[in-house]
Amino acid sequence: SPVEVQILQRELPESHIALLSNIHHVSPEPVKREGRRDLVFVGGFEHPPNVDAMEWFCAEILPKVVAEIPDARLHMIGSKMPEKVRALAGPHVIAHGYVENVLPFFENCLLSVAPLRYGAGVKGKINQSMSLGVPVATTSVGAEGMHLEHERDALIADKAPAFAREIIR
């Protein structure tokens, strides 16, 4: 992201630093809301911010959502899912682990979540959701480097109660 470019230019002034963001093809088909349900999270679990995101989401955000939407479910997708993340599975959390083709989840889920509390760079999970026309709820860390604006491009909230409210609405 531009944030990391500035850091690297400051720390490594002799180096050539270039910005190359991730690239996704934008779906030409408008997304229809009818028939969609559930939430989806996609992220490799060798990356600690994704583990933290799912632990925080399942402990502090999802219970607030389920209190308002009793049939709410989260599909957790990602390679190298550790046992502590897999153990979050239950009536409202489906731990899929690695999935070769995530497109059917994006075609059937109502909202993508990226509850990242730390990390860096442009987030591919957010770009992918947006390119497929699926709304995203994320944090300011998740939105970093993409010039996303709350309620224009994504739903952005940093505290668990606010994040839950964005999902519920």
Side-chain angles (χ1 to χ4, degrees), residues 79-95:
S79 64
K80 310 267 184 358
M81 187 179 284
E83 189 52 42
K84 69 179 183 175
V85 173
R86 196 168 292 284
L88 298 170
H92 300 284
V93 179
I94 301 121

Side-chain angles (χ1 to χ4, degrees), residues 111-131:
L111 183 71
S112 173
V113 296
L116 299 164
R117 296 193 289 181
Y118 67 98
V122 173
K123 315 310 182 290
K125 62 178 65 51
I126 293 174
N127 285 154
Q128 183 177 31
S129 297
M130 292 174 68
S131 73

Side-chain angles (χ1 to χ4, degrees), residues 2-16:
V3 172
E4 284 83 23
V5 168
Q6 290 176 354
I7 292 168
L8 289 170
Q9 287 173 335
R10 184 177 63 244
E11 297 295 321
L12 304 166
E14 304 299 317
S15 298
H16 173 73

Side-chain angles (χ1 to χ4, degrees), residues 43-86:
F45 288 102
E46 283 187 314
H47 191 51
N50 290 332
V51 173
D52 176 76
M54 287 297 87
E55 290 177 326
W56 180 55
F57 185 84
C58 291
E60 298 186 35
I61 299 168
L62 189 57
K64 292 172 179 36
V65 174
V66 170
E68 295 287 325
I69 306 170
D71 63 344
R73 294 186 311 175
L74 169 69
H75 295 272
M76 283 192 307
I77 299 170
S79 64
K80 310 267 184 358
M81 187 179 284
E83 189 52 42
K84 69 179 183 175
V85 173
R86 196 168 292 284

